[in-house]
Amino acid sequence: MAFFKKPLLRVPVCTFACGFATAAFQLVIALLLGADSFVFSDFYALALPLLLFAAAGWFFMRGLPCKTLLLSALLLDAIILLADGLEALLAMQGITPYVTYIFTLWPFSYFSTPVSLVTVRLGLAPPGAASYLLPLLPPLLFAVFGLFAKSDHTAGS
């Protein structure tokens, strides 16, 4: 648990935990109810990530300064870029380890799903290569929870 207490790792660890738990939950539901009966709904694609984002931000990141959260988010963005590159490399080799991808690479970009859905549905999806930059935005939004950090500058006023 000491590993999780490092502020620089909060955004990547929380994002991965939320994505992994959701993927595992969806897999269990599909196994219990049958893969054909499991329908990917808007709740799992939009509402659940937003609820988990708010909960993770409020409970795990609220006391951290914005600068620390931005650095942590940039670390996650680097991981997302590496994961996307690895996925593309595996796809070029003809290797599509879906289960491996769902439980290792996808959880890092978990919170990008609602952003992608909303932009596509509103017709605001960026064209071509710019769409690959869209998953880099949600981790940076965790810095909003840094606004709730107590500042030492206001203590003396």
Side-chain angles (χ1 to χ4, degrees):
M1 207 57 168
F3 176 77
F4 180 72
K5 290 183 180 180
K6 295 183 180 184
L8 195 58
L9 299 175
R10 290 268 176 101
V11 172
V13 170
C14 280
T15 301
F16 185 84
C18 290
F20 186 85
T22 302
F25 176 73
Q26 289 175 346
L27 180 65
V28 168
I29 294 296
L31 291 174
L32 291 177
L33 301 178
D36 295 335
S37 64
F38 184 72
V39 177
F40 188 73
S41 68
D42 283 344
F43 175 74
Y44 292 109
L46 188 60
L48 186 60
L50 292 176
L51 289 172
L52 290 174
F53 178 85
W58 187 257
F59 290 111
F60 297 113
M61 296 173 209
R62 182 173 36 143
L64 297 175
C66 286
K67 182 179 178 181
T68 303
L69 289 173
L70 282 174
L71 289 173
S72 184
L74 289 174
L75 176 64
L76 178 59
D77 284 344
I79 292 170
I80 289 171
L81 288 174
L82 286 172
D84 286 347
L86 181 60
E87 178 193 5
L89 183 65
L90 290 174
M92 287 190 313
Q93 299 298 321
I95 304 169
T96 54
Y98 184 72
V99 173
T100 305
Y101 172 73
I102 283 295
F103 287 107
T104 57
L105 304 178
W106 177 77
F108 284 114
S109 60
Y110 176 63
F111 292 121
S112 66
T113 304
V115 174
S116 299
L117 281 175
V118 168
T119 55
V120 167
R121 287 187 182 176
L122 293 177
L124 302 173
S131 64
Y132 291 106
L133 300 177
L134 202 55
L136 303 179
L137 175 65
L140 298 173
L141 296 177
F142 274 116
V144 170
F145 292 101
L147 298 175
F148 297 102
K150 292 184 173 128
S151 175
D152 293 333
H153 301 296
T154 58
S157 303

